[in-house]
Amino acid sequence: RNDIALEWKQYLAKLREEDPEGYCHWVEIYEDKGHWLDSEDAQVLPWMAQQIRQSCPNRIVWLQGNHTHSRSYWLATENPQKDGGILIAEKDGQVIRIQEKGEPKHAIKIRLADRMVDLNQPVVVIRNENEVFRGFVPRTIQTIACTLAERGDPKGIYSAEIVLE
């Protein structure tokens, strides 16, 4: 277990070095402990209390590895694929940029809310350097209901979405 934790510690440190705005982490290895840490892991709580979870970040790095997920923040897919590459999404005002590295590329849902963009104005989506969408994105009850059901968190509700094939 500790060997795997050390690998993750090094991996996360490398990612943080490459992306100073992301991958905030704390890894403490207790050499003489297995799964039960005798409450020594409580020392992370003050550090965790200082962290602020962003429910709607401007930048998402989404890696589909061995364990796939159908959503990551304001992105979603109906067909998550193992080893599906890395997708980097960045939001800057009304422009969303999607950069995909690796294969395969698949349909992506970009979920939007008024706290992210001005839904009364056109939104632009650029995927792999190509403009693939420019226009108004309507708010729908279907998107609101779907995202509420997925998350069960009112702060995770999105009201509009763009589907990229």
Side-chain angles (χ1 to χ4, degrees):
R1 179 175 181 270
N2 287 340
D3 292 339
I4 294 170
L6 180 59
E7 287 176 21
W8 273 102
K9 181 179 185 174
Q10 293 167 343
Y11 181 60
L12 290 169
K14 179 179 179 281
L15 291 172
R16 178 70 174 195
E17 186 177 305
E18 294 170 1
D19 182 1
E21 298 292 315
Y23 304 99
C24 185
H25 65 283
W26 170 314
V27 179
E28 187 72 34
I29 298 172
Y30 302 92
E31 296 292 339
D32 59 337
K33 306 289 182 190
H35 284 283
W36 179 246
L37 300 176
D38 296 321
S39 298
E40 289 185 42
D41 50 334
Q43 67 179 294
V44 76
L45 295 177
W47 177 84
M48 287 177 67
Q50 295 174 6
Q51 309 309 311
I52 298 172
R53 179 179 175 264
Q54 294 182 25
S55 62
C56 191
N58 288 329
R59 185 170 190 264
I60 301 170
V61 179
W62 191 5
L63 168 65
Q64 293 281 20
N66 289 334
H67 302 284
T68 60
H69 301 277
S70 61
R71 60 183 170 81
S72 181
Y73 298 100
W74 41 269
L75 297 175
T77 182
E78 290 185 12
N79 186 23
Q81 299 174 17
K82 287 186 177 185
D83 301 319
I86 296 174
L87 186 147
I88 299 170
E90 296 184 84
K91 179 180 62 69
D92 183 15
Q94 296 294 104
V95 178
I96 296 169
R97 296 181 188 284
I98 305 285
Q99 191 67 41
E100 294 163 295
K101 299 177 181 179
E103 295 293 333
K105 298 184 180 33
H106 52 281
I108 302 165
K109 292 180 182 179
I110 300 171
R111 288 166 166 177
L112 303 171
D114 291 283
R115 67 184 182 278
M116 298 172 59
V117 296
D118 182 350
L119 289 171
N120 295 319
Q121 298 297 319
V123 174
V124 176
V125 178
I126 299 170
R127 185 178 192 180
N128 297 322
E129 307 303 323
N130 298 309
E131 186 175 306
V132 294
F133 180 87
R134 177 182 293 266
F136 291 90
V137 187
R139 297 168 189 87
T140 68
I141 194 70
Q142 178 182 351
T143 302
I144 293 168
C146 179
T147 58
L148 179 59
E150 286 176 356
R151 293 169 169 80
D153 177 2
K155 292 182 180 177
I157 294 174
Y158 297 90
S159 56
E161 73 180 11
I162 301 166
V163 179
L164 305 178
E165 297 296 329

